[in-house]
Amino acid sequence: MDILNIENCTIRYQEQEAAVEHVSLSVGEQEIVSIVGESGSGKTTLIRAILGILPPGGTVTEGKILFQGKNILELDETSLQKLRGTEIAMIFQDVGASLDPIRIVESQYRESILAHRKMAKADCRSLEKEMLAKMHLTDPERVMVSYPFELSGGMKQRVGIAMSMTARPRLLLADEPTSALDVTIQAEVVREMKKLREQYETAIILVTHNMGVASYISDKIGVMCKGELVEFGKRDDVIFHPKHEYTKKLLAAVPRLEGKRFAK
Ligand SMILES: Nc1ncnc2c1ncn2[C@@H]1O[C@H](COP(=O)(O)OP(=O)(O)OP(=O)(O)O)[C@@H](O)[C@H]1O
Ligand SMILES: [Mg+2]
């Protein structure tokens, strides 16, 4: 059963050329789907449309976005708001930077939990601790009483991902959640995300520039080029039998590690 079906979606900003054109893709329950493609190819536009948070001027001019069978584009703002942060969560490239610099982690974490449900302070604390530990932050208690500037980039990113996963969303949209981090930390954070999928049975759409990351984490891979989804299929099919020239180019650029190019 698919959790998300994007059907023939076209998205425009004002009168400009389409930023996303006739894109169709599906995400199964608990599946990890990566979207790879060069800058400006429409990746962010596409996943923002799923949450109904396109920047001003952006509209879906054609197609459907079905989440659990329901067309998100026909929902009113109240129903959309109910989905956001509960059924569908999103992590941005700079979640770290979006933390409030003048409040400790615990206080903003609690606020994000209470935005969606009622919970006693002590229960919030133990839930936060549990989630931070799941993201392998070694000293959750210390992280909770820290200000964002006291944490490294990788730690902040883990806090952000923990916060997004707390409501156990059915679908997590992650827009380059690791690209601001250095390569080894990126790999660790991606590994944690893969584990979270197993524990929480969350489907994930991951936007990444890095075909190596896509190959490691994905069940399916989509490749975008100039607003079009030029390739979409099962991980092994895309990696070992790419159809489009652009996909072949991206694959050829992945460096070999210990003689192997595509780790799993
Ligand atoms: N707020 C906006 N207003 C007008 N045009 C926009 C806006 N945001 C994006 N675009 C245009 O839509 C197209 C797709 O942009 P988008 O940000 O979705 O690409 P992307 O694949 O996420 O790129 P990147 O890898 O750099 O994040 C681009 O041509 C971009 O200029
Ligand atoms: Mg983007």
Side-chain angles (χ1 to χ4, degrees):
M1 181 28 200
D2 289 334
I3 190 158
L4 184 80
N5 284 296
I6 298 182
E7 294 179 358
N8 195 29
C9 233
T10 296
I11 307 170
R12 285 173 202 281
Y13 291 98
Q14 282 98 22
E15 303 297 305
Q16 293 168 24
E17 223 180 297
V20 167
E21 201 159 15
H22 302 303
V23 166
S24 299
L25 64 82
S26 57
V27 181
E29 298 268 1
Q30 300 176 42
E31 233 169 29
I32 300 185
V33 175
S34 290
I35 308 284
V36 192
E38 66 195 352
S39 191
S41 58
K43 307 180 295 295
T44 298
T45 301
L46 183 66
I47 67 165
R48 279 181 167 267
I50 300 169
L51 261 191
I53 50 164
L54 284 169
T59 359
V60 180
T61 54
E62 202 184 331
K64 287 182 187 165
I65 299 178
L66 305 170
F67 175 68
Q68 295 179 323
K70 263 199 210 144
N71 190 359
I72 284 182
L73 303 173
E74 288 169 355
L75 295 180
D76 57 31
E77 189 53 32
T78 323
S79 318
L80 261 178
Q81 237 156 29
K82 269 193 203 139
L83 280 183
R84 284 184 207 129
T86 54
E87 299 277 305
I88 308 178
M90 182 151 177
I91 310 171
F92 297 93
Q93 177 170 359
D94 53 351
V95 265
S98 67
L99 292 171
D100 184 342
I102 59 162
R103 284 162 64 204
I104 58 168
V105 167
E106 185 185 352
S107 134
Q108 27 198 326
Y109 199 153
R110 187 184 321 129
E111 185 179 279
S112 83
I113 295 174
L114 296 180
H116 302 295
R117 59 181 141 165
K118 287 202 172 78
M119 194 182 270
K121 202 167 165 179
D123 295 333
C124 276
R125 272 190 65 87
S126 52
L127 180 59
E128 289 167 20
K129 231 167 80 182
E130 180 195 323
M131 292 302 299
L132 294 173
K134 283 223 166 84
M135 283 306 291
H136 287 104
L137 282 151
T138 38
D139 190 352
E141 302 248 2
R142 188 179 76 79
V143 171
M144 281 162 72
V145 297
S146 299
Y147 289 94
F149 71 84
E150 296 173 301
L151 305 173
S152 72
M155 290 166 90
K156 281 189 279 201
Q157 211 63 7
R158 283 164 200 252
V159 170
I161 295 171
M163 283 168 79
S164 312
M165 289 299 291
T166 307
R168 300 190 172 214
R170 307 301 305 149
L171 176 65
L172 177 69
L173 308 172
D175 195 356
E176 311 237 20
T178 62
S179 61
L181 309 173
D182 70 45
V183 180
T184 32
I185 311 282
Q186 269 194 37
E188 278 171 24
V189 174
V190 167
R191 215 171 290 134
E192 305 303 352
M193 286 180 66
K194 205 170 170 177
K195 278 194 214 141
L196 283 176
R197 183 271 293 265
E198 279 148 28
Q199 286 168 357
Y200 291 105
E201 303 177 345
T202 300
I204 300 175
I205 301 183
L206 175 75
V207 168
T208 174
H209 271 100
N210 188 328
M211 194 53 123
V213 166
S215 140
Y216 170 73
I217 199 173
S218 311
D219 301 303
K220 288 183 193 159
I221 298 177
V223 177
M224 289 194 72
C225 183
K226 302 191 178 85
E228 287 179 51
L229 188 72
V230 295
E231 184 109 28
F232 182 67
K234 293 209 173 81
R235 181 246 184 214
D236 286 357
D237 292 341
V238 171
I239 289 193
F240 300 113
H241 309 286
K243 293 193 193 84
H244 200 273
E245 282 310 311
Y246 181 60
T247 313
K248 291 179 192 168
K249 217 173 83 186
L250 289 176
L251 288 166
V254 175
R256 283 172 191 275
L257 280 176
E258 294 158 3
K260 262 181 81 178
R261 182 168 271 163
F262 301 110
K264 233 181 178 171

